[in-house]
Amino acid sequence: MNQRIQLASIDDQRNAEARETVRRRISWPANLTPANVTYHSRGHALLIGAAADVYPAARALQGRGLASLTLLVTWPVGNGAESEAAELVGASEPLVTQMLTHEQLSQLHISGYLGAFSARLDDGDAPLDLARALIERAGFDLVLDLTAMAHPQRSELPPPGYVVMSWQDVEQRSETLENFAGLVGEFDKPRYFQVNSDLCAHSTSGNIGCTRCLDVCPADAISSIQGRIESHIEIDPYLCQGVGSCTSACPTGAIEFRMPETRRQQDTLSTWLAAYRDAGGQVPVLRFLTHDSQDAERATGVVPAGHVIDAPLEELGAAGHDQWLTALAAGAAEVRIQLHPSMPARLSTFLNDQIAQAHAMLDALGHDRARVQLIGVADGAARDALPTLPPLTEAPLQLPEPEKRTRLNRVLARLAELGSPNGARTTMPVGAAYGAIQVDRDACTLCQACVSNCPTPALKSGGNTPALSFLEADCVQCGLCEQACPENAITLMPGFLADGARETRHICHEEAAFECINCGKPFATVSTVAAIKQKLAHHPYFAGEAMSRLEMCEDCRVKDVWKTMIRDPDAQLKV
């Protein structure tokens, strides 16, 4: 399906009409009443930076309705600072100034969000709470960071209420200060995500597995919370800004985007493509872009070519390689991801990683990697270019399953049918959720610790038969099985297998069952019983004839202990 198409046969007007038909018939899904989080800000502002920046900024903010201004001014203050400071006296709002050395600035730690910022100086055993010390409050409501060095808030995406600006940027100065002064009152923001801990592959039995969501969040809104035994993932809804990379990185669907839900988004893409074909459209190209980018194009009168169908997102991270491949399997000729200015570094890294994964899988399945590509900022030519390849299919794609991984496996199966899989294990970028495991049969005792720790159906026991089976299609390479194995018998084998064996469950290891010497019930493997007998050979509880208890099932073992106590009540005291 990599045969080139004849560009002269494409009718742009016809495609544009088909696209409009799709838009009128099928709306992009949206949550009309999403759950919200609310911020409460009374306007107690903290300004940080050099005197030459902080003093004029404070003067510009005076009389704009802020409750108080607290200035953290870096030392040395510099020439003319006294006159700048003098002009601030007599303002309507309370004003507090505190000098900081550069060393103290490096020790300044700010956390929180609009209406609830904590500022501490960690310069010893007793951190100083600046809000309580300077304005006798539990915290600051908003922060204006004018520091030339890396600001104390380490997140790539500062939380709502934390504004980073350069006082030398004259063009943005007025608008930034106006917006900052407006951050007083009550504000609502969507709760972008929901978390299903039952699907999470982060931790179990005290072991840490998948950390993909933690690695990609540019707002540092995701935390690993340590419980009594194991850790769990939590997303702070006040810090989360809806970038979406966590839900795309999550291989099990434990984190789900809610605006819209990932499943509804996928289903809509498939429905759009089918409706576009029915309306006479040709060679559809799906373009993923942000709502803001789409609005900016419309404001300037930009209309994409007729064959380009836009999928608007809150942020580009809300769709990863699974969504892009779904579009190809549903009949898109190409998928294009439109980049935009001021993207966080971790989002850019995430998108490049997702592109690398998509390309590797397309190569393995026998398709041209040019079908998925990033489009540069404001690159109109790349946006409107005709695809050089026809769609892989015109058949509709149905994804009835609710589980993310199951839906992805169906997409990959469709792409395998439409291509020429190479049958090999393809190297994927580090951290990709594809691969197998290798089990050392000589070391494995079939204790099933790996099965109980596996967060997906990839590993299963043999039921009444001592066996361990594995289905590669469900493996997300979290590593929990490898860590849980007491015999170190499991090794991860990362890589995408472009072969039907990926969808076939196979036996990793099996043994004959050991039957209870009393009742004949199978209760363990022969090797397990032999290993336990060897380890407990010198234990006084199993001395002499008592060693035979290790060859009994749990019920017969208890009965034998009671029979011994009846015959010899003092037997337990001899151990």
Side-chain angles (χ1 to χ4, degrees):
M1 296 300 294
N2 289 330
Q3 184 178 358
R4 303 291 166 174
I5 62 177
Q6 299 297 320
L7 302 184
S9 63
I10 305 303
D11 185 339
D12 187 68
Q13 181 61 33
R14 176 182 173 186
N15 288 339
E17 292 173 356
R19 181 179 63 192
E20 291 308 309
T21 299
V22 170
R23 287 177 175 170
R24 288 193 299 268
R25 286 179 49 192
I26 307 161
S27 299
W28 182 250
N31 286 4
L32 299 180
T33 56
N36 289 331
V37 293
T38 302
Y39 301 91
H40 301 276
S41 169
R42 290 183 170 83
H44 293 278
L46 176 67
L47 281 63
I48 313 168
D53 299 333
V54 170
Y55 288 147
R59 190 167 62 251
L61 289 171
Q62 285 183 321
R64 295 202 183 191
L66 295 175
S68 68
L69 293 172
T70 301
L71 315 183
L72 296 184
V73 182
T74 56
W75 187 271
V77 175
N79 296 330
E82 293 80 1
S83 60
E84 292 275 5
E87 295 183 28
L88 294 172
V89 178
S92 57
E93 59 277 296
L95 178 70
V96 178
T97 301
Q98 176 66 46
M99 299 299 174
L100 293 181
T101 65
H102 284 289
E103 181 181 1
Q104 288 175 320
L105 182 62
S106 67
Q107 298 167 345
L108 179 63
H109 178 77
I110 298 179
S111 60
Y113 45 83
L114 179 63
F117 281 108
S118 169
R120 299 194 321 270
L121 273 180
D122 296 326
D123 59 351
D125 297 333
L128 177 63
D129 186 326
L130 293 178
R132 293 194 179 279
L134 299 177
I135 61 174
E136 298 181 346
R137 292 186 57 83
F140 297 100
D141 293 302
L142 55 163
V143 179
L144 182 63
D145 191 338
L146 297 154
T147 57
M149 59 176 285
H151 53 85
Q153 187 68 38
R154 302 299 179 185
S155 303
E156 291 177 38
L157 278 181
Y162 192 105
V163 178
V164 181
M165 70 171 289
S166 170
W167 186 251
Q168 311 310 318
D169 188 349
V170 179
E171 293 183 1
Q172 296 294 322
R173 183 189 298 173
S174 177
E175 181 180 356
T176 301
L177 291 177
E178 182 178 353
N179 292 336
F180 183 79
L183 294 176
V184 180
E186 186 174 291
F187 304 88
D188 288 334
K189 179 181 71 67
R191 187 183 293 264
Y192 292 103
F193 299 95
Q194 60 185 11
V195 180
N196 184 347
S197 297
D198 292 339
L199 299 177
C200 184
H202 173 60
S203 173
T204 186
S205 300
N207 296 317
I208 297 297
C210 177
T211 61
R212 295 177 178 95
C213 61
L214 292 165
D215 298 335
V216 301
C217 179
D220 291 330
I222 307 177
S223 303
S224 175
I225 307 300
Q226 179 62 53
R228 292 182 61 189
I229 299 177
E230 59 192 46
S231 301
H232 66 277
I233 289 296
E234 283 189 3
I235 300 180
D236 189 331
Y238 292 93
L239 298 180
C240 172
Q241 299 186 49
V243 172
S245 50
C246 59
T247 189
S248 296
C250 178
T252 64
I255 301 178
E256 186 173 37
F257 198 58
R258 297 170 59 123
M259 299 186 66
E261 291 92 345
T262 305
R263 293 192 298 274
R264 291 175 61 203
Q265 186 169 290
Q266 276 184 307
D267 292 340
T268 301
L269 295 177
S270 299
T271 306
W272 270 4
L273 290 166
Y276 179 83
R277 289 190 297 268
D278 292 344
Q282 302 168 285
V283 294
V285 170
L286 267 178
R287 180 174 66 137
F288 290 88
L289 76 168
T290 64
H291 286 289
D292 291 342
S293 296
Q294 188 180 56
D295 292 342
E297 287 186 351
R298 290 174 176 173
T300 56
V302 173
V303 178
H307 60 278
V308 178
I309 304 174
D310 286 341
L313 306 170
E314 287 291 318
E315 184 51 271
L316 295 179
H321 73 277
D322 57 328
Q323 301 264 349
W324 307 338
L325 296 179
T326 297
L328 296 180
E334 287 183 13
V335 169
R336 297 169 185 169
I337 300 94
Q338 182 76 63
L339 302 179
H340 62 83
S342 304
M343 290 174 54
R346 265 190 277 187
L347 176 57
S348 298
T349 299
F350 170 76
L351 289 175
N352 288 326
D353 177 79
Q354 292 290 297
I355 285 287
Q357 291 193 44
H359 286 171
M361 297 173 82
L362 288 172
D363 288 342
L365 295 170
H367 299 295
D368 195 318
R369 59 171 51 196
R371 290 187 182 275
V372 177
Q373 55 188 285
L374 295 175
I375 303 299
V377 177
D379 190 344
R383 177 197 65 217
D384 293 335
L386 283 167
T388 57
L389 296 167
L392 294 172
T393 181
E394 293 187 353
L397 176 65
Q398 301 295 329
L399 299 173
E401 300 88 353
E403 299 84 8
K404 178 178 180 177
R405 189 69 174 198
T406 306
R407 292 164 73 93
L408 175 58
N409 287 334
R410 185 178 287 272
V411 168
L412 295 175
R414 166 69 74 89
L415 292 176
E417 293 172 2
L418 298 170
S420 302
N422 60 21
R425 184 173 300 282
T426 300
T427 300
M428 297 287 285
V430 175
Y434 302 96
I437 62 170
Q438 184 174 8
V439 177
D440 184 344
R441 294 173 180 248
D442 293 332
C444 177
T445 62
L446 292 174
C447 67
Q448 308 300 332
C450 56
V451 175
S452 62
N453 282 269
C454 182
T456 75
L459 284 169
K460 287 187 176 180
S461 64
N464 292 329
T465 303
L468 175 65
S469 67
F470 176 72
L471 178 61
E472 181 167 344
D474 287 338
C475 179
V476 297
Q477 294 287 288
C478 64
L480 288 173
C481 60
E482 184 180 40
Q483 296 183 62
C485 180
E487 310 298 340
N488 296 320
I490 296 178
T491 304
L492 296 183
M493 296 174 56
F496 175 70
L497 179 63
D499 186 84
R502 182 177 177 275
E503 298 279 351
T504 304
R505 183 172 292 277
H506 69 275
I507 300 297
C508 299
H509 183 42
E510 61 182 338
E511 289 187 28
F514 190 95
E515 297 178 350
C516 175
I517 58 175
N518 278 358
C519 67
K521 170 187 172 182
F523 69 95
T525 64
V526 172
S527 64
T528 298
V529 173
I532 292 176
K533 289 176 67 176
Q534 181 180 4
K535 291 180 180 179
L536 298 179
H538 303 292
H539 194 287
Y541 188 80
F542 298 102
E545 295 182 359
M547 177 61 71
S548 63
R549 290 175 183 160
L550 295 175
E551 299 177 343
M552 301 177 188
C553 69
E554 61 277 14
D555 295 330
C556 292
R557 192 178 309 125
V558 172
K559 293 177 182 177
D560 187 69
V561 170
W562 280 103
K563 288 179 181 178
T564 301
M565 291 179 62
I566 291 173
R567 292 193 302 266
D568 184 4
D570 296 330
Q572 60 180 330
L573 301 178
K574 301 175 183 178
V575 176

